[in-house]
Amino acid sequence: MAYFPEIKKIEFVGKQKKSGLGFNYYNPDETVAGKPMKDQLRFSVAYWHTFVQEGVDPFGVGTAIRPWQKFKGMDLAKARAEAAFEFFEKLGNPFFCFHDRDVAPEGDTLRETNKNLDVIVSLFKDYMKQTGVKLLWNTANMFTNPRFVHGVASSCNANVFAYAAAQVKKGLEIAKELGAENYVFWGGREGYESLLNTDYKLEQDNMGRFFHMVVDYAKKIGFKGQLLLEPKPKEPMTHQYDFDAATAINFLRTYDLDKDFKLNLEANHAMLAGHTYEHEIRVARTAGLLGSLDANQGNGLLGWDIDEFPTDLYTTTLAMYEVLKNGGPHKGGLNFDAKVRRSSFEPDDLFYSHIVGMDSFALGLKAASRLIEDHVFDDFIDKRYSSYKEGIGADIVSGKADFESLEKYIIDKPESEIGGKNRSGRLELLKDTLNHYIGLEA
Ligand code: XLS
Ligand code: NI
Ligand code: NI
């Protein structure tokens, strides 16, 4: 059956036609920075937000009208899968992402749960073959069930560790079966509330052990996808172990996992950590650990993860700037870890929300590509640091200088030769230029 009978395939309509059910900027086959847009952006739809959540908030039940809601149990799981692939074909996203528990209900034992999963995975396999839609990543939901109350690999309960191991083992097998490009770990319950009852060192060490088992098993079964860690600073736990990109990188290096894992970075999580999205991406990129992106946005007025669809062009431009500087998305992509607002409860809103997200990133990509092509920031930054290209600066960079030689060089210099050499950072000028580049593409 058709779940979105009123909707036809969403087409690129160009700039002249304003909004509606068409793309103003996302033109999948148009070349930007040497590659078709679809390969630069690698958009993915998040199964949980689009086909599962129903607009619940802490004060009220769901508001969403979803034509598959009339089914229950495995029938609901099958209906969702059918609706999902109809949606993907109409939207034209090349990828999707899911948690194991989004796609099939839990049974009484893990064995039964896995059986339910197998049914849906084989359905997915057929649909993927028919439509050409691919799996950007799958992941294990190890945060909803009450068994994870004290954590997962960091739980004080060893049987929970064992359960999680078996759950992820199955997840990796599914990833292999469906040809996933990546496999993600978001440690929602990996953290602690208070040190009064927490063995911090054992919890971290156990997480290290868990991830080594992941690496070993992925190798054993020949899973070729990239393993990814997704940082988040708070919510649900007070102290999340993977606070932000820098903290997660330190964890990976401490446990000798940085050759096998990269990061999946989310805009709203960056905001909760007190960072911009581009900061998080830059930190990962310079460490050689940029894996993939969860595309959404937060609200600076709120202190929690609201997973709004991305519409902020500054952020999409600066995020795509980092991606292009990283040589493109590689195995990663842009997964819309984003949900329609509770008041946008009609099925059509699922299309409008993805369209604005895709257009915002397409425009950001084009602006970023031009900024790079014209060396706008590169030339400015190059000049700003030019004192390190010759003389004493070159000695510092090459390692020739030491405290004694630096003292000898500077000790008798007048202040006009020291502070007097500073020049304006020209931030307002640069922002004006950035606005101009976004405006050129809009
Ligand atoms: C939650 C996370 C989650 C991960 C996948 O805040 O963003 O959605 O992306 O488990
Ligand atoms: Ni996410
Ligand atoms: Ni999130």
Side-chain angles (χ1 to χ4, degrees), residues 11-12 24 27 37 53 97 105-106 145 150-151 214 252 254 297 306 347 360 403 409 442:
E11 304 284 356
F12 172 68
N24 292 133
N27 187 7
M37 273 188 170
Q53 73 91 23
C97 290
E106 284 198 66
N145 193 292
H150 294 311
V214 168
L252 291 175
T254 302
Q297 69 186 20
I306 61 165
S360 299
F403 267 17
Y409 167 81

Side-chain angles (χ1 to χ4, degrees), residues 111-160:
R111 195 182 295 280
E112 279 179 29
T113 303
N114 286 350
K115 259 195 207 145
N116 290 346
L117 260 176
D118 288 340
V119 173
I120 302 299
V121 166
S122 89
L123 250 185
F124 278 177
K125 215 173 166 185
D126 291 343
Y127 283 132
M128 287 167 72
K129 217 180 197 170
Q130 282 164 33
T131 60
V133 176
K134 293 194 271 183
L135 185 59
L136 186 64
W137 48 264
N138 58 317
T139 184
N141 176 332
M142 301 189 290
F143 42 88
T144 301
N145 193 292
R147 75 173 68 88
F148 301 115
V149 61
H150 294 311
V152 182
S154 70
S155 175
C156 50
N157 176 349
N159 279 357
V160 171

Side-chain angles (χ1 to χ4, degrees), residues 69-123:
Q69 265 160 341
K70 56 180 182 235
F71 299 103
K72 294 255 170 319
M74 281 301 283
D75 290 337
L76 173 60
K78 288 177 193 163
R80 275 189 182 128
E82 194 183 359
F85 280 85
E86 182 192 336
F87 183 86
F88 302 157
E89 278 212 280
K90 290 184 167 169
L91 184 67
N93 54 297
F95 294 96
F96 74 117
C97 290
F98 65 87
H99 299 88
D100 44 10
R101 304 302 174 248
D102 301 336
V103 303
E106 284 198 66
D108 287 337
T109 59
L110 185 57
R111 195 182 295 280
E112 279 179 29
T113 303
N114 286 350
K115 259 195 207 145
N116 290 346
L117 260 176
D118 288 340
V119 173
I120 302 299
V121 166
S122 89
L123 250 185

Side-chain angles (χ1 to χ4, degrees), residues 230 232 266 269 296 305 307 337:
E230 182 176 325
K232 183 174 179 179
E266 179 169 322
H269 298 182
N296 64 14
D305 202 8
D307 293 339
D337 194 351

Side-chain angles (χ1 to χ4, degrees), residues 249 253 258 261-262 282-291 326:
I249 290 169
R253 287 181 178 157
D258 53 315
F261 279 80
K262 286 191 162 79
R282 178 72 64 95
V283 168
R285 171 163 87 77
T286 50
L289 294 177
L290 175 56
N326 201 47

